[in-house]
Amino acid sequence: MKHSMDLGMFRQGNHSPSYFTLARSMGSGSEELSDFCIPCNPYFPTPDMFAELSAKLETILKYYPTDAGAITGQLASLLQMPPQTIAMGNGSTELITWIDHLMIHESMATPVPTFGRWTDQSLETGKRVDMFQLPEAGGFALDIDAYVDFIRERNSRVAVVCNPNNPDGNYIPKWEVLRLVDSLADRDLVVVDESFIDFVDAEHRPSIAQEAMLRHNVLVLKSLGKNFGLHGIRFGYVVGNPALVKKIGSRLPKWNLNSLAETVVFMLRDHLAEYRESLRLLARDRYEMINELRRIPGMQVFPSQGNFVLVKLPAEVEGPRLRDYLLSRHGVLIRECGNKLGITSQFVRLVVRPREDTERLLNGIRSYLTSSFSESLDGATPMDLAGRFAESTGLKTGTHSVLDDPLGDRVVPLLGAEGPRLSRSGTR
């Protein structure tokens, strides 16, 4: 199948074009698009929930929503948290913007690569952004001690960490995150972005939201849109100490949440079992998808605890070319990472989807690699070919080993490890 569209739209900014922009460009072919770019939950909401929302659509669109305080109260009840510890925003990006305007005054530090708004937002408002380079050789895992040293050396006043991180899916164990935030108790603010935490199955109750409420300078950011794959609704929230949360909540508009977001929040209590089942199914798909990707020669697949997987392509393969080929020839959209700080276009992020969708992706990748390698075989020696198909093994970092495990959920201590820590690096 071939799809006609303007591929130049992928080279116009730091983010991929929206689905609507892409659909308009594709015209009637957009309904055949298989999206491996935008992180989603393919199993939630359920078809019955969508039918319920459809039946209420006219009412939802006609009438004003309840004020944000009442919607936040409902969410707090669902989460079994005090309502004064939560502030809801029109998407997590709105909350990142308010955090930057209200709480970041001079400088902030963040590992890279990571979610683009954590670097872009403060740069856009003239703050100094101290970027801590996550090492590819360590699987982009964060060395907590090295990061704390980096923050102190540069005297960054605010620190951010995403857990799991985007785009690599690395997960930091809960006790390590708490050690990080407590090591930075003298900073103005520490933000732990847990937008993808619900997809973690490495440990039970991985979130530090409850602990953040007891600390004076810690905010935890959550994204309901990412958890449910309902990005169009735009709803996220922060959790923290009441005094800290009030600084944001008191500045938010009274009706900053729409009626569709309100309807979904009030539906959730009756559908928690379906949501938990959706997470189980997605973890199963992640395991299978990583296994299948690792069977493709030359592909380096990183362990992940998110609803996406980071892949390093063979040296001969250019990410933008693969992206354009998959989209135009197979109707498959992927996230090429060349416009993210701290990573190159040789990496692509692939969203976890059900088996039938994944087969379409895998067939497209195999087709591209077959044609690409065939064109480059002329004059290649046996040693050249062996190098191209070399496969990665385990990754080691600091005193922990990230196992080359399809589950991507085991981070274990290297007992007696005496090797040097990862070197610290970053750019001012």
Side-chain angles (χ1 to χ4, degrees):
M1 97 184 75
K2 293 191 70 172
H3 298 272
S4 176
M5 69 202 74
D6 176 17
L7 295 174
M9 70 180 76
F10 288 95
R11 294 176 278 276
Q12 295 177 359
N14 294 334
H15 299 276
S16 297
S18 73
Y19 175 86
F20 298 102
T21 299
L22 193 58
R24 285 191 292 270
S25 176
M26 293 179 68
S28 60
S30 62
E31 64 274 5
E32 300 175 1
L33 181 68
S34 187
D35 184 6
F36 284 84
C37 177
I38 306 301
C40 65
N41 182 341
Y43 301 106
F44 195 86
T46 63
D48 287 346
M49 291 178 69
F50 276 119
E52 183 179 342
L53 287 169
S54 296
K56 298 177 179 178
L57 186 59
E58 183 176 350
T59 301
I60 290 170
L61 295 179
K62 272 188 174 182
Y63 295 101
Y64 285 111
T66 310
D67 67 82
I71 303 172
T72 300
Q74 173 66 14
L75 180 65
S77 174
L78 189 69
L79 299 172
Q80 299 182 331
M81 291 181 178
Q84 65 269 31
T85 65
I86 298 175
M88 290 192 73
N90 188 16
S92 59
T93 300
E94 180 189 49
L95 295 169
I96 291 172
T97 303
W98 281 109
I99 289 169
D100 174 59
H101 284 299
L102 299 175
M103 299 178 176
I104 302 178
H105 305 297
E106 301 173 7
S107 58
M108 59 88 71
T110 181
V112 292
T114 195
F115 178 50
R117 290 312 300 166
W118 282 120
T119 53
D120 299 350
Q121 175 61 45
S122 291
L123 286 172
E124 290 165 5
T125 53
K127 319 289 173 45
R128 192 183 82 232
V129 177
D130 300 324
M131 302 181 200
F132 179 79
Q133 178 67 57
L134 296 171
E136 179 188 338
F140 298 103
L142 177 65
D143 183 321
I144 297 296
D145 295 315
Y147 187 39
V148 170
D149 289 347
F150 173 90
I151 290 165
R152 296 201 177 284
E153 287 171 2
R154 285 156 177 77
N155 195 28
S156 313
R157 297 309 308 165
V158 173
V160 172
V161 64
C162 294
N163 193 36
N165 191 40
N166 174 12
D168 52 81
N170 260 303
Y171 171 67
I172 309 168
K174 182 176 181 177
W175 69 271
E176 283 270 66
V177 180
L178 291 173
R179 186 167 72 86
L180 170 67
V181 300
D182 288 341
S183 297
L184 298 172
D186 61 338
R187 302 293 99 174
D188 296 343
L189 180 68
V190 182
V191 181
V192 181
D193 186 338
E194 293 186 347
S195 291
F196 298 99
I197 201 80
D198 282 10
F199 301 109
V200 170
D201 63 359
E203 63 178 318
H204 189 53
R205 300 187 186 281
S207 174
I208 69 157
Q210 292 285 346
E211 290 80 4
M213 292 187 288
L214 307 180
R215 287 160 169 80
H216 73 284
N217 72 330
V218 179
L219 282 177
V220 172
L221 181 69
K222 303 273 195 173
S223 171
L224 292 173
K226 292 185 176 70
N227 294 339
F228 305 153
L230 294 175
H231 301 282
I233 291 182
R234 310 305 304 147
F235 54 171
Y237 64 101
V238 290
V239 181
N241 182 287
L244 199 58
V245 169
K246 187 178 180 180
K247 290 182 180 180
I248 296 176
S250 63
R251 301 294 292 272
L252 293 171
K254 190 174 181 63
W255 283 282
N256 68 321
L257 303 174
N258 61 62
S259 299
L260 191 53
E262 176 181 3
T263 303
V264 171
V265 168
F266 276 82
M267 286 175 65
L268 290 178
R269 190 179 299 278
D270 296 329
H271 298 279
L272 291 178
E274 293 101 312
Y275 181 57
R276 285 190 288 268
E277 175 64 6
S278 77
L279 299 177
R280 186 192 70 80
L281 293 172
L282 194 139
R284 178 204 64 187
D285 291 346
R286 180 175 63 206
Y287 174 86
E288 293 179 352
M289 183 174 175
I290 290 175
N291 260 342
E292 290 300 320
L293 286 166
R294 283 180 172 162
R295 290 192 174 99
I296 300 177
M299 300 275 274
Q300 183 178 353
V301 185
F302 293 82
S304 175
Q305 280 285 284
N307 58 341
F308 48 83
V309 178
L310 184 69
V311 175
K312 185 177 184 181
L313 303 171
E316 299 86 351
V317 179
E318 298 178 23
R321 288 183 179 273
L322 174 63
R323 177 202 62 209
D324 294 352
Y325 172 86
L326 289 175
L327 185 57
S328 61
R329 298 294 183 89
H330 294 268
V332 170
L333 176 63
I334 65 172
R335 177 61 160 96
E336 177 267 314
C337 295
N339 59 2
K340 278 184 170 289
L341 295 171
I343 200 167
T344 72
S345 60
Q346 201 179 354
F347 292 82
V348 294
R349 187 193 68 195
L350 306 172
V351 166
V352 175
R353 295 191 63 85
R355 184 195 300 268
E356 57 270 22
D357 294 336
T358 302
E359 278 301 317
R360 184 171 166 187
L361 167 72
L362 294 169
N363 289 337
I365 293 175
R366 293 188 191 106
S367 173
Y368 182 83
L369 293 181
T370 299
S371 60
S372 176
F373 287 154
S374 296
E375 292 173 2
S376 63
L377 286 180
D378 289 343
T381 68
M383 289 299 292
D384 292 334
L385 297 176
R388 288 179 192 175
F389 294 99
E391 294 184 357
S392 60
T393 57
L395 299 168
K396 294 183 179 180
T397 171
T399 58
H400 289 74
S401 174
V402 182
L403 298 181
D404 193 13
D405 172 13
L407 285 173
D409 59 8
R410 287 182 281 177
V411 182
V412 297
L414 295 173
L415 299 179
E418 300 295 334
R421 280 201 335 233
L422 288 172
S423 61
R424 288 165 287 163
S425 62
T427 55
R428 291 184 181 274

